[in-house]
Amino acid sequence: MPNLGFVPLPDYREYPADEMKRRAADFRAELSRRRSVRQFSDRPVPPEVIEECLLAAGSAPSGANMQPWHFVAVSDPEVKRRIREAAEQEEKRFYSERAPQEWLEALAPLGTDEHKPFVETAPYLIVIFVQSYGVTPQGKKYKHYYATESVGIATGILVAAVHNAGLVSLTHTPSPMGFLNEILGRPAHERPFLMIQYPTRGCAVHKAIAPLYEMLKLNTRLFLNCLDGIDDATARKRSSADTNSIGFLACHVLHARYYLASYVGLESVNPFQELFDSAHDVNDLEVPPLDELRSAWSELSAQLIDRLPGVTETELGRDSGQEFPVDDGTVRGAVAFLVQHESFHVGQLALLRKYFGLEGMVYAGGA
């Protein structure tokens, strides 16, 4: 057999079976949080982040290792404006002339139309071109094999890399996309594959859950404000034998928030689950240090606040599988009750801190 220059795989890492299972589950759970969004913040993204994501995409396998892709990162406002105008012209024709009725009906729940303001708002556009053939420095053409499939794989890695960096993305395919070659100065043998927009935090949440989203963000802050200045000894005190302690209520609210998170697709592990499960009343619960509760609350809340903008109408409309004291038996109803449940107990925490001689809870500041 001829020596083709192969060498042992230098960077391969083998993991024990249990660690493989954990890593696979963690990766799946992380990617299950990924959502496409159509409302964007114009907050800047460091160019180094985009570069690293593109380098990750460039590690994709490709037919005969030809790497038949070209990525163009666009941040210039004037170029983005030109792309938006051209894209909206094509999209208008699509919605009014080209799209079959079945396709329009499939898009209807998303509320999309020819207007694409996010093309200008997003801090970066990534335009991905697929190269049907390559050209040597001497001008000789050579064929690219499985070019579309290869670019599709690279794009998937790019979307995952963007999510891993803490951003979100939207794939956008106005058709036809030939205007991108002209605007971006790319040769004719490169065909636009798709565009990806990168937003930072601040995208809008679905209107069906928007008021609850604002209440949840408020509860996130007020919970921490209620615990401000309280030490572990005070957290364990009870005003009477018939009342709960601040620590018990804090544990209860945190436990309920993990429950809420599970309804919107988060699989965050509650570090106190076993402790909560074994406690039947306030006398059984060994309250963890408040710093640990605060830390867990902040970490979970950040995940939840990031997740809710990606929750779809379909997800909200699913049966909750649990009876709550509300008429709405869907996930939306479950979230509504659990957010109100938090507000109720935040009020109790505010009252107890006054009872133990601390200043009243404030609405401003905090986390």
Side-chain angles (χ1 to χ4, degrees):
M1 181 176 180
N3 182 3
L4 299 179
F6 291 115
V7 297
L9 191 61
D11 298 321
Y12 173 71
R13 297 179 184 177
E14 184 173 346
Y15 300 102
D18 287 345
E19 186 172 356
M20 282 195 290
K21 293 176 184 177
R22 178 188 62 78
R23 289 172 64 89
D26 288 349
F27 187 72
R28 188 264 309 162
E30 179 61 31
L31 285 187
S32 71
R33 295 177 50 245
R34 192 211 63 78
R35 292 294 185 275
S36 296
V37 302
R38 289 173 173 80
Q39 295 83 27
F40 296 80
S41 165
D42 60 0
R43 290 169 56 189
V45 174
E48 296 83 1
V49 175
I50 303 303
E51 182 178 354
E52 292 294 340
C53 291
L54 292 176
L55 289 171
S59 71
S62 59
N65 197 28
M66 294 291 187
Q67 302 176 18
W69 46 66
H70 187 91
F71 300 94
V72 181
V74 181
S75 61
D76 182 87
E78 174 60 21
V79 178
K80 289 194 293 181
R81 181 192 64 77
R82 292 177 60 198
I83 291 175
R84 175 189 176 180
E85 290 178 354
E88 288 184 337
Q89 289 179 11
E90 297 298 347
E91 294 282 22
K92 185 174 182 179
R93 296 188 187 98
F94 170 82
Y95 281 95
S96 62
E97 303 170 13
R98 298 171 180 155
Q101 186 59 35
E102 184 179 7
W103 196 342
L104 293 175
E105 290 173 358
L107 291 171
L110 300 177
T112 59
D113 56 25
E114 71 271 20
H115 301 294
K116 308 297 178 183
F118 51 75
V119 174
E120 280 193 86
T121 307
Y124 273 95
L125 308 182
I126 301 296
V127 183
I128 305 171
F129 291 88
V130 56
Q131 300 172 334
S132 57
Y133 58 85
V135 182
T136 69
Q138 294 75 34
K140 182 179 180 180
K141 298 178 182 180
Y142 58 91
K143 181 177 176 59
H144 281 160
Y145 302 94
Y146 298 104
T148 300
E149 294 85 349
S150 300
V151 175
I153 295 170
T155 300
I157 293 176
L158 177 60
V159 170
V162 167
H163 172 78
N164 184 64
L167 300 171
V168 290
S169 63
L170 172 69
T171 56
H172 180 209
T173 53
S175 179
M177 293 190 287
F179 61 87
L180 290 168
N181 291 75
E182 178 182 353
I183 293 174
L184 298 176
R186 300 309 305 165
H189 73 279
E190 292 185 359
R191 176 173 55 83
F193 186 71
L194 57 78
M195 294 193 297
I196 297 181
Q197 287 84 33
Y198 293 124
T200 52
R201 287 185 185 177
C203 52
V205 70
H206 195 284
K207 62 183 180 180
I209 203 172
L212 299 175
Y213 182 60
E214 293 303 317
M215 290 176 63
L216 185 138
K217 289 194 294 183
L218 179 62
N219 286 345
T220 297
R221 183 173 76 244
L222 297 186
F223 176 85
L224 294 175
N225 288 355
C226 282
L227 300 184
D228 185 49
I230 296 177
D231 57 31
D232 291 335
T234 303
R236 293 181 175 87
K237 292 180 180 178
R238 300 167 64 186
S239 59
S240 73
D242 298 322
T243 60
N244 294 318
S245 67
I246 288 175
F248 180 87
L249 286 173
C251 288
H252 177 64
V253 175
L254 176 61
H255 183 55
R257 181 157 280 201
Y258 275 105
Y259 193 44
L260 189 161
S262 70
Y263 271 107
V264 295
L266 284 178
E267 298 187 5
S268 302
V269 177
N270 184 348
F272 309 109
Q273 185 67 51
E274 185 176 345
L275 183 68
F276 296 160
D277 288 344
S278 63
H280 300 290
D281 59 40
V282 66
N283 296 307
D284 294 337
L285 181 65
E286 182 64 32
V287 177
L290 283 186
D291 282 347
E292 293 183 14
L293 296 178
R294 292 186 186 100
S295 178
W297 175 266
S298 297
E299 181 179 349
L300 174 64
S301 298
Q303 296 174 10
L304 193 55
I305 289 169
D306 279 350
R307 170 68 184 100
L308 283 175
V311 176
T312 66
E313 178 66 25
T314 300
E315 291 172 309
L316 292 174
R318 290 173 183 155
D319 185 88
S320 70
Q322 181 73 34
E323 290 188 11
F324 292 99
V326 292
D327 292 335
D328 187 347
T330 67
V331 168
R332 179 173 46 248
V335 171
F337 170 76
L338 290 168
V339 171
Q340 190 281 331
H341 169 266
E342 288 182 352
S343 300
F344 173 76
H345 286 303
V346 164
Q348 290 183 318
L349 288 169
L351 179 64
L352 284 174
R353 66 176 284 120
K354 287 283 288 183
Y355 178 86
F356 289 116
L358 286 89
E359 294 182 358
M361 180 206 76
V362 295
Y363 274 84

